[in-house]
Amino acid sequence: SAVISQKPSRDICQRGTSLTIQCQVDSQVTMMFWYRQQPGQSLTLIATANQGSEATYESGFVIDKFPISRPNLTFSTLTVSNMSPEDSSIYLCSVVKQGPEVGEQYFGPGTRLTVT
Amino acid sequence: QQQVKQSPQSLIVQKGGISIINCAYENTAFDYFPWYQQFPGKGPALLIAIRPDVSEKKEGRFTISFNKSAKQFSLHIMDSQPGDSATYFCAARKTPGGYQKVTFGTGTKLQVIP
């Protein structure tokens, strides 16, 4: 498995401000992702964090709103910019470790963001 | 064609009973089907996964049943316990050619009552 930590675990922010969420993995991983999960809902992929290059964003998510960095194989950050109450959600870091057959995907504990 | 349909949305089971959650998919290219368990305030945890070359996989009290022809798979929790109360997500993805994006079901909130 993979041990994933996220900082902060939760935050309350004012609209118009930005928050950077950090994700640290205990070992080198092939792929890192950022997901959003609204209360009582399923998981929505925001983007794939690529080491040394720009992240790959899913439809409906843009770099200006969710800039992502991945400077090495164990660390990534997601920034939620110019926040509005609609950004209140749980943000999850996820990684894939290559196994003998298929890469298993693991999730961090999440960052619970409330925008007032 | 990328959807994974999950049912029921919520489930209440008595302690000791069997919890059954069902999922159906359309994309026949999917070949890896994991289940995740999520407790409130926590991230999803990989619970058990199956490939379509087997019809059943069992790990402790958790069993995945897979019906390739019907494009359906289900999670059975035997002897359900209050500690199993959580939200369960089925998922599916393609694996050939490297990692492919996973498609999640909508989730089932399970409550096991004493």
Side-chain angles (χ1 to χ4, degrees), chain A residues 4 6 21 23 31-39 41-49 56-58 61 66 68 76-80 87-96 103-113, chain B residues 34 36 38 42-44 89-93 99-105:
Chain A
I4 305 169
Q6 285 185 233
I21 303 168
C23 175
M31 306 187 76
M32 296 182 77
F33 307 91
W34 288 97
Y35 283 80
R36 183 171 72 184
Q37 185 179 31
Q38 294 179 315
Q41 302 296 312
S42 188
L43 297 93
T44 300
L45 179 63
I46 297 172
T48 302
T56 304
Y57 290 85
E58 297 300 304
F61 297 96
F66 297 101
I68 289 171
S76 178
T77 66
L78 168 74
T79 299
V80 186
D87 294 321
S88 297
S89 191
I90 299 170
Y91 292 86
L92 294 153
C93 174
S94 179
V95 304
V96 171
E104 295 183 339
Q105 185 165 359
Y106 301 94
F107 288 84
T111 295
R112 183 178 294 271
L113 171 62
Chain B
Y36 287 86
Q38 185 176 30
K42 304 290 185 183
F89 293 95
C90 64
R93 67 175 167 97
Y99 179 82
Q100 305 279 346
K101 281 187 300 183
V102 64
T103 300
F104 287 94

Coordinates of all heavy atoms in Angstrom, one line a residue, chain A residues 4 6 21 23 31-39 41-49 56-58 61 66 68 76-80 87-96 103-113, chain B residues 34 36 38 42-44 89-93 99-105:
Chain A
I4 N -0.2 8.1 2.6 CA -0.4 9.4 2.0 C -0.8 10.4 3.1 O -1.8 10.1 3.9 CB -1.5 9.4 0.9 CG1 -1.1 8.3 -0.1 CG2 -1.6 10.8 0.2 CD1 -2.3 8.1 -1.1
Q6 N -1.9 14.5 3.9 CA -2.3 15.8 3.3 C -2.3 16.9 4.4 O -2.7 16.6 5.5 CB -3.7 15.7 2.7 CG -3.8 14.9 1.5 CD -5.2 14.9 0.8 OE1 -5.7 13.8 0.5 NE2 -5.8 16.1 0.7
I21 N -3.0 23.0 -0.9 CA -3.0 21.8 -0.2 C -1.8 20.9 -0.6 O -1.5 20.8 -1.8 CB -4.3 21.0 -0.6 CG1 -5.6 21.8 -0.3 CG2 -4.4 19.6 0.1 CD1 -6.8 21.3 -0.9
C23 N 0.4 17.3 -0.6 CA 0.2 15.8 -0.5 C 1.6 15.2 -0.5 O 2.4 15.5 -1.4 CB -0.6 15.3 -1.7 SG -0.7 13.5 -1.9
M31 N 2.0 7.6 -10.5 CA 1.0 8.6 -10.8 C 0.4 9.2 -9.6 O 0.2 8.6 -8.6 CB -0.1 8.1 -11.7 CG 0.4 7.3 -13.0 SD -0.9 6.9 -14.1 CE -1.2 8.4 -14.9
M32 N 0.1 10.5 -9.7 CA -0.6 11.2 -8.6 C -1.8 12.0 -9.2 O -1.7 12.5 -10.3 CB 0.3 12.2 -7.9 CG 1.5 11.5 -7.2 SD 2.6 12.7 -6.3 CE 1.6 13.0 -4.8
F33 N -2.8 12.0 -8.4 CA -4.1 12.7 -8.9 C -4.7 13.5 -7.8 O -4.4 13.3 -6.6 CB -5.1 11.6 -9.3 CG -4.7 10.5 -10.2 CD1 -4.1 9.4 -9.7 CD2 -4.8 10.7 -11.6 CE1 -3.7 8.4 -10.6 CE2 -4.4 9.8 -12.5 CZ -3.8 8.6 -12.0
W34 N -5.5 14.4 -8.2 CA -6.3 15.2 -7.3 C -7.8 15.0 -7.6 O -8.2 15.2 -8.8 CB -5.9 16.7 -7.3 CG -4.6 17.0 -6.7 CD1 -3.4 17.1 -7.3 CD2 -4.3 17.2 -5.3 NE1 -2.4 17.3 -6.4 CE2 -2.9 17.4 -5.2 CE3 -5.1 17.1 -4.2 CZ2 -2.3 17.6 -3.9 CZ3 -4.5 17.4 -2.9 CH2 -3.2 17.6 -2.8
Y35 N -8.6 14.7 -6.6 CA -10.0 14.5 -6.7 C -10.7 15.5 -5.8 O -10.2 16.0 -4.8 CB -10.4 13.1 -6.2 CG -10.1 12.0 -7.2 CD1 -8.8 11.5 -7.3 CD2 -11.1 11.5 -8.0 CE1 -8.5 10.4 -8.2 CE2 -10.8 10.4 -8.9 CZ -9.5 9.9 -9.0 OH -9.3 8.9 -9.8
R36 N -12.0 15.8 -6.2 CA -12.9 16.5 -5.3 C -14.1 15.7 -5.0 O -14.6 14.9 -5.9 CB -13.3 17.8 -6.1 CG -14.2 18.7 -5.2 CD -14.5 20.0 -5.9 NE -15.4 19.9 -7.1 CZ -15.7 20.9 -7.9 NH1 -15.1 22.1 -7.7 NH2 -16.5 20.8 -8.9
Q37 N -14.5 15.8 -3.8 CA -15.7 15.0 -3.3 C -16.6 15.9 -2.5 O -16.3 16.4 -1.4 CB -15.3 13.8 -2.5 CG -16.4 12.9 -2.1 CD -16.0 11.7 -1.2 OE1 -15.1 11.8 -0.5 NE2 -16.8 10.6 -1.4
Q38 N -17.7 16.2 -3.1 CA -18.7 17.1 -2.4 C -19.5 16.2 -1.4 O -19.6 15.0 -1.6 CB -19.6 17.8 -3.4 CG -18.7 18.8 -4.2 CD -19.4 19.6 -5.2 OE1 -20.2 19.0 -6.0 NE2 -19.1 20.9 -5.3
P39 N -20.0 16.8 -0.4 CA -20.7 16.0 0.7 C -21.7 15.0 0.1 O -22.6 15.4 -0.6 CB -21.3 17.1 1.6 CG -20.4 18.3 1.4 CD -20.0 18.2 -0.1
Q41 N -21.4 12.8 -2.0 CA -21.3 12.5 -3.5 C -20.1 11.6 -3.8 O -19.3 11.2 -2.9 CB -21.1 13.8 -4.2 CG -22.2 14.8 -4.0 CD -23.5 14.3 -4.6 OE1 -23.6 13.8 -5.7 NE2 -24.6 14.4 -3.8
S42 N -20.0 11.2 -5.0 CA -18.9 10.4 -5.5 C -17.6 11.2 -5.7 O -17.6 12.4 -5.4 CB -19.3 9.6 -6.7 OG -18.3 8.6 -7.0
L43 N -16.6 10.6 -6.2 CA -15.4 11.3 -6.5 C -15.3 11.8 -7.9 O -15.6 11.1 -8.8 CB -14.2 10.4 -6.2 CG -14.1 9.8 -4.7 CD1 -14.8 8.5 -4.6 CD2 -12.7 9.7 -4.3
T44 N -14.8 13.0 -8.0 CA -14.6 13.7 -9.3 C -13.1 14.0 -9.5 O -12.5 14.7 -8.7 CB -15.4 14.9 -9.4 OG1 -16.8 14.6 -9.2 CG2 -15.2 15.6 -10.8
L45 N -12.6 13.5 -10.6 CA -11.2 13.7 -10.9 C -11.0 15.2 -11.4 O -11.6 15.6 -12.3 CB -10.7 12.7 -11.9 CG -9.2 12.9 -12.4 CD1 -8.3 12.6 -11.2 CD2 -8.9 11.9 -13.5
I46 N -10.1 15.9 -10.7 CA -9.7 17.2 -11.1 C -8.6 17.2 -12.2 O -8.8 17.8 -13.2 CB -9.3 18.1 -9.9 CG1 -10.4 18.2 -8.9 CG2 -8.8 19.5 -10.4 CD1 -9.9 18.9 -7.6
A47 N -7.5 16.5 -11.8 CA -6.4 16.5 -12.7 C -5.4 15.4 -12.3 O -5.4 14.9 -11.2 CB -5.7 17.9 -12.7
T48 N -4.5 15.1 -13.3 CA -3.4 14.2 -13.0 C -2.2 15.1 -12.9 O -1.9 16.0 -13.7 CB -3.2 13.3 -14.2 OG1 -4.4 12.5 -14.4 CG2 -2.0 12.4 -14.0
A49 N -1.5 14.9 -11.8 CA -0.3 15.7 -11.5 C 0.9 15.0 -12.2 O 1.3 13.9 -11.8 CB 0.0 15.9 -10.0
T56 N -2.5 17.5 -16.2 CA -3.5 17.2 -17.2 C -4.9 17.4 -16.5 O -5.2 16.6 -15.6 CB -3.3 15.8 -17.7 OG1 -2.0 15.6 -18.2 CG2 -4.3 15.5 -18.8
Y57 N -5.7 18.3 -17.0 CA -6.9 18.6 -16.3 C -8.1 18.0 -17.0 O -8.1 17.8 -18.2 CB -7.1 20.2 -16.3 CG -6.2 20.9 -15.4 CD1 -4.9 21.2 -15.8 CD2 -6.6 21.1 -14.1 CE1 -4.0 21.8 -14.9 CE2 -5.7 21.8 -13.2 CZ -4.4 22.1 -13.6 OH -3.5 22.7 -12.7
E58 N -9.1 17.6 -16.2 CA -10.3 17.0 -16.7 C -11.2 18.2 -17.2 O -11.1 19.3 -16.8 CB -11.0 16.2 -15.6 CG -10.2 15.0 -15.2 CD -9.9 14.1 -16.3 OE1 -10.8 13.6 -17.0 OE2 -8.7 13.8 -16.6
F61 N -12.4 21.7 -15.4 CA -11.4 22.2 -14.4 C -10.2 22.8 -15.2 O -9.8 22.3 -16.2 CB -10.8 21.0 -13.6 CG -11.8 20.3 -12.7 CD1 -12.5 19.2 -13.1 CD2 -12.2 20.9 -11.5 CE1 -13.4 18.6 -12.3 CE2 -13.1 20.3 -10.7 CZ -13.8 19.1 -11.1
F66 N -7.2 25.9 -10.5 CA -6.6 24.8 -9.7 C -5.2 24.5 -10.1 O -4.9 23.4 -10.7 CB -7.4 23.5 -9.9 CG -8.8 23.6 -9.4 CD1 -9.9 23.8 -10.3 CD2 -9.1 23.5 -8.0 CE1 -11.2 23.9 -9.8 CE2 -10.4 23.6 -7.6 CZ -11.5 23.8 -8.4
I68 N -1.5 23.2 -10.1 CA -1.0 22.0 -9.5 C 0.5 21.9 -9.8 O 1.0 22.2 -10.9 CB -1.7 20.7 -10.1 CG1 -3.1 20.6 -9.6 CG2 -0.9 19.4 -9.7 CD1 -3.9 19.5 -10.3
S76 N 3.1 16.6 -4.1 CA 2.4 17.4 -5.0 C 1.6 18.4 -4.2 O 1.3 18.2 -3.1 CB 1.4 16.5 -5.9 OG 0.6 17.3 -6.7
T77 N 1.2 19.5 -4.9 CA 0.4 20.5 -4.3 C -0.8 20.9 -5.2 O -0.6 20.8 -6.4 CB 1.1 21.8 -3.9 OG1 1.5 22.5 -5.1 CG2 2.3 21.6 -3.0
L78 N -1.9 21.2 -4.6 CA -3.1 21.7 -5.4 C -3.5 23.0 -4.7 O -3.6 23.1 -3.5 CB -4.2 20.7 -5.2 CG -5.6 21.2 -5.7 CD1 -5.7 21.3 -7.2 CD2 -6.7 20.3 -5.1
T79 N -3.6 24.0 -5.5 CA -4.1 25.3 -5.0 C -5.5 25.6 -5.5 O -5.8 25.3 -6.7 CB -3.2 26.5 -5.5 OG1 -1.8 26.2 -5.0 CG2 -3.7 27.8 -5.0
V80 N -6.4 25.9 -4.6 CA -7.7 26.4 -5.0 C -7.7 27.9 -5.0 O -7.5 28.5 -3.9 CB -8.8 25.8 -4.1 CG1 -10.2 26.1 -4.6 CG2 -8.6 24.3 -3.9
D87 N -16.7 26.1 -3.9 CA -15.5 25.3 -3.8 C -15.5 24.5 -2.5 O -14.5 23.7 -2.3 CB -14.3 26.2 -3.9 CG -14.1 26.9 -5.3 OD1 -14.4 26.2 -6.3 OD2 -13.8 28.1 -5.3
S88 N -16.4 24.7 -1.6 CA -16.5 24.0 -0.4 C -16.6 22.5 -0.7 O -17.6 22.1 -1.4 CB -17.6 24.5 0.5 OG -17.4 25.8 0.9
S89 N -15.6 21.7 -0.3 CA -15.6 20.3 -0.7 C -14.5 19.6 0.1 O -13.8 20.2 0.8 CB -15.4 20.2 -2.2 OG -15.6 18.9 -2.7
I90 N -14.4 18.3 -0.2 CA -13.2 17.6 0.3 C -12.3 17.4 -0.9 O -12.8 16.9 -2.0 CB -13.6 16.2 0.9 CG1 -14.6 16.4 2.1 CG2 -12.4 15.4 1.3 CD1 -15.2 15.1 2.6
Y91 N -11.0 17.7 -0.7 CA -10.1 17.5 -1.8 C -9.1 16.3 -1.4 O -8.6 16.3 -0.3 CB -9.3 18.8 -2.0 CG -10.2 19.9 -2.6 CD1 -11.0 20.7 -1.8 CD2 -10.3 20.0 -4.0 CE1 -11.8 21.6 -2.3 CE2 -11.1 21.0 -4.5 CZ -11.9 21.8 -3.7 OH -12.8 22.7 -4.2
L92 N -9.0 15.4 -2.3 CA -8.3 14.2 -2.1 C -7.1 14.0 -3.0 O -7.3 14.1 -4.2 CB -9.2 13.0 -2.2 CG -10.4 12.9 -1.2 CD1 -11.6 12.1 -1.8 CD2 -9.9 12.2 0.1
C93 N -6.0 13.7 -2.4 CA -4.8 13.3 -3.2 C -4.9 11.8 -3.4 O -5.3 11.0 -2.5 CB -3.6 13.7 -2.5 SG -2.0 13.1 -3.2
S94 N -4.5 11.3 -4.5 CA -4.5 9.9 -4.8 C -3.3 9.5 -5.6 O -2.8 10.3 -6.4 CB -5.8 9.5 -5.6 OG -5.9 8.2 -6.0
V95 N -2.8 8.2 -5.4 CA -1.6 7.8 -6.1 C -1.8 6.4 -6.6 O -2.7 5.6 -6.1 CB -0.4 7.8 -5.1 CG1 -0.2 9.2 -4.5 CG2 -0.5 6.7 -4.1
V96 N -1.1 6.1 -7.6 CA -1.0 4.7 -8.2 C 0.4 4.2 -8.0 O 1.3 4.8 -8.4 CB -1.5 4.7 -9.6 CG1 -1.2 3.3 -10.2 CG2 -2.9 5.0 -9.8
G103 N -1.7 -1.5 -11.4 CA -1.4 -0.5 -10.4 C -2.6 -0.3 -9.5 O -3.7 0.0 -10.0
E104 N -2.4 -0.4 -8.2 CA -3.5 -0.2 -7.3 C -3.5 1.3 -6.9 O -2.5 1.9 -6.8 CB -3.3 -1.0 -6.0 CG -3.4 -2.5 -6.3 CD -3.3 -3.4 -5.1 OE1 -2.8 -2.9 -4.1 OE2 -3.8 -4.5 -5.1
Q105 N -4.7 1.8 -6.7 CA -4.9 3.3 -6.5 C -5.3 3.5 -5.0 O -6.2 2.8 -4.5 CB -5.9 3.8 -7.4 CG -6.1 5.3 -7.3 CD -6.9 5.9 -8.4 OE1 -7.3 5.2 -9.4 NE2 -7.0 7.3 -8.4
Y106 N -4.6 4.4 -4.4 CA -4.8 4.7 -3.0 C -5.1 6.2 -2.8 O -4.7 7.0 -3.6 CB -3.6 4.4 -2.2 CG -3.2 2.9 -2.3 CD1 -2.2 2.5 -3.2 CD2 -3.8 2.0 -1.5 CE1 -1.9 1.2 -3.4 CE2 -3.4 0.6 -1.6 CZ -2.5 0.2 -2.5 OH -2.1 -1.1 -2.7
F107 N -5.8 6.5 -1.7 CA -6.3 7.9 -1.5 C -5.7 8.4 -0.1 O -5.6 7.6 0.8 CB -7.8 8.0 -1.4 CG -8.4 7.8 -2.8 CD1 -8.7 6.6 -3.3 CD2 -8.8 8.9 -3.5 CE1 -9.2 6.4 -4.6 CE2 -9.3 8.8 -4.8 CZ -9.6 7.5 -5.3
G108 N -5.5 9.7 -0.1 CA -5.1 10.3 1.1 C -6.3 10.5 2.0 O -7.4 10.3 1.6
P109 N -6.1 11.1 3.2 CA -7.2 11.3 4.1 C -8.1 12.5 3.7 O -9.2 12.6 4.3 CB -6.5 11.6 5.4 CG -5.2 12.2 5.0 CD -4.8 11.5 3.8
G110 N -7.7 13.3 2.8 CA -8.5 14.4 2.4 C -8.3 15.7 3.1 O -7.8 15.7 4.3
T111 N -8.7 16.8 2.5 CA -8.6 18.1 3.1 C -10.1 18.7 2.9 O -10.6 18.8 1.8 CB -7.7 19.1 2.3 OG1 -6.3 18.6 2.5 CG2 -7.8 20.5 2.9
R112 N -10.7 18.9 4.1 CA -12.0 19.5 4.1 C -12.0 21.0 4.1 O -11.5 21.6 5.0 CB -12.8 19.0 5.3 CG -14.2 19.4 5.4 CD -14.9 18.8 6.6 NE -15.0 17.4 6.6 CZ -16.0 16.7 6.0 NH1 -17.0 17.4 5.5 NH2 -16.0 15.4 6.1
L113 N -12.5 21.5 3.0 CA -12.4 23.0 2.8 C -13.8 23.6 2.9 O -14.7 23.1 2.2 CB -11.8 23.3 1.4 CG -11.9 24.7 0.9 CD1 -11.1 25.7 1.8 CD2 -11.4 24.9 -0.5
Chain B
P34 N -12.2 -2.5 -8.6 CA -12.0 -2.4 -7.2 C -13.2 -1.8 -6.4 O -14.1 -1.2 -7.0 CB -10.8 -1.3 -7.1 CG -11.1 -0.5 -8.3 CD -11.8 -1.3 -9.4
Y36 N -14.1 0.4 -2.8 CA -13.5 1.2 -1.8 C -14.5 1.4 -0.7 O -15.7 1.5 -0.9 CB -13.1 2.6 -2.4 CG -11.9 2.6 -3.3 CD1 -12.0 2.3 -4.7 CD2 -10.6 2.9 -2.8 CE1 -10.9 2.2 -5.5 CE2 -9.5 2.8 -3.7 CZ -9.7 2.5 -5.0 OH -8.6 2.5 -5.8
Q38 N -15.3 3.9 2.6 CA -15.0 5.3 3.1 C -15.7 5.5 4.4 O -17.0 5.5 4.4 CB -15.2 6.4 2.1 CG -14.8 7.7 2.5 CD -15.0 8.8 1.4 OE1 -15.9 8.7 0.6 NE2 -14.2 9.8 1.4
K42 N -12.8 10.5 6.4 CA -11.6 9.8 5.9 C -11.6 9.7 4.4 O -12.6 9.8 3.7 CB -11.5 8.4 6.5 CG -11.6 8.3 8.0 CD -10.3 8.9 8.6 CE -10.4 8.7 10.2 NZ -9.2 9.3 10.8
G43 N -10.4 9.4 3.8 CA -10.4 9.1 2.4 C -10.8 7.7 2.1 O -10.8 6.8 3.0
P44 N -11.2 7.4 0.9 CA -11.5 6.0 0.5 C -10.4 5.1 0.6 O -9.2 5.4 0.3 CB -11.9 6.2 -1.0 CG -12.2 7.6 -1.2 CD -11.3 8.3 -0.3
F89 N -17.9 2.4 -2.5 CA -17.8 2.8 -3.9 C -17.3 1.7 -4.7 O -16.2 1.1 -4.4 CB -16.9 4.0 -4.1 CG -17.4 5.3 -3.5 CD1 -17.0 5.7 -2.2 CD2 -18.3 6.1 -4.2 CE1 -17.4 6.9 -1.7 CE2 -18.8 7.3 -3.6 CZ -18.4 7.7 -2.3
C90 N -18.0 1.3 -5.8 CA -17.5 0.4 -6.7 C -16.8 1.2 -7.8 O -17.0 2.4 -7.9 CB -18.5 -0.5 -7.4 SG -19.8 0.4 -8.3
A91 N -15.9 0.6 -8.5 CA -15.2 1.3 -9.6 C -14.7 0.4 -10.7 O -14.8 -0.8 -10.5 CB -13.9 2.0 -9.0
A92 N -14.3 1.0 -11.8 CA -13.9 0.1 -12.9 C -12.9 0.9 -13.7 O -13.0 2.2 -13.8 CB -15.1 -0.2 -13.8
R93 N -12.0 0.2 -14.3 CA -11.1 0.9 -15.3 C -10.4 -0.1 -16.2 O -10.5 -1.3 -16.0 CB -10.0 1.6 -14.5 CG -9.0 0.8 -13.7 CD -7.9 1.8 -13.2 NE -7.1 1.3 -12.2 CZ -5.8 0.8 -12.4 NH1 -5.4 0.7 -13.7 NH2 -5.1 0.4 -11.4
Y99 N -1.8 2.8 -17.1 CA -2.9 3.3 -16.2 C -3.9 4.0 -17.0 O -3.6 4.8 -17.9 CB -2.4 4.2 -15.1 CG -3.5 4.6 -14.2 CD1 -4.0 3.8 -13.2 CD2 -4.1 5.9 -14.4 CE1 -5.0 4.3 -12.4 CE2 -5.1 6.3 -13.7 CZ -5.6 5.5 -12.7 OH -6.6 5.9 -11.9
Q100 N -5.2 3.6 -16.8 CA -6.3 4.3 -17.4 C -7.1 4.9 -16.2 O -7.2 4.3 -15.1 CB -7.1 3.4 -18.2 CG -6.4 2.7 -19.3 CD -6.2 3.5 -20.5 OE1 -6.8 4.5 -20.7 NE2 -5.3 3.1 -21.4
K101 N -7.9 6.0 -16.5 CA -8.7 6.6 -15.5 C -9.7 5.7 -14.9 O -10.3 4.9 -15.6 CB -9.4 7.8 -16.0 CG -8.5 9.0 -16.1 CD -9.3 10.3 -16.5 CE -10.0 10.1 -17.8 NZ -10.7 11.3 -18.3
V102 N -9.9 5.7 -13.6 CA -10.9 4.9 -13.0 C -12.3 5.6 -13.0 O -12.3 6.8 -12.8 CB -10.5 4.6 -11.5 CG1 -10.4 5.8 -10.7 CG2 -11.4 3.6 -10.9
T103 N -13.3 4.9 -13.2 CA -14.7 5.4 -13.1 C -15.3 4.9 -11.9 O -15.4 3.7 -11.6 CB -15.5 4.9 -14.4 OG1 -14.9 5.4 -15.5 CG2 -16.9 5.5 -14.3
F104 N -15.8 5.8 -11.0 CA -16.4 5.4 -9.8 C -18.0 5.3 -9.9 O -18.6 6.1 -10.6 CB -16.1 6.4 -8.7 CG -14.7 6.3 -8.2 CD1 -13.7 7.1 -8.8 CD2 -14.3 5.5 -7.2 CE1 -12.4 7.0 -8.4 CE2 -13.0 5.4 -6.8 CZ -12.0 6.1 -7.4
G105 N -18.5 4.4 -9.1 CA -20.0 4.4 -8.9 C -20.4 5.6 -8.0 O -19.5 6.3 -7.5

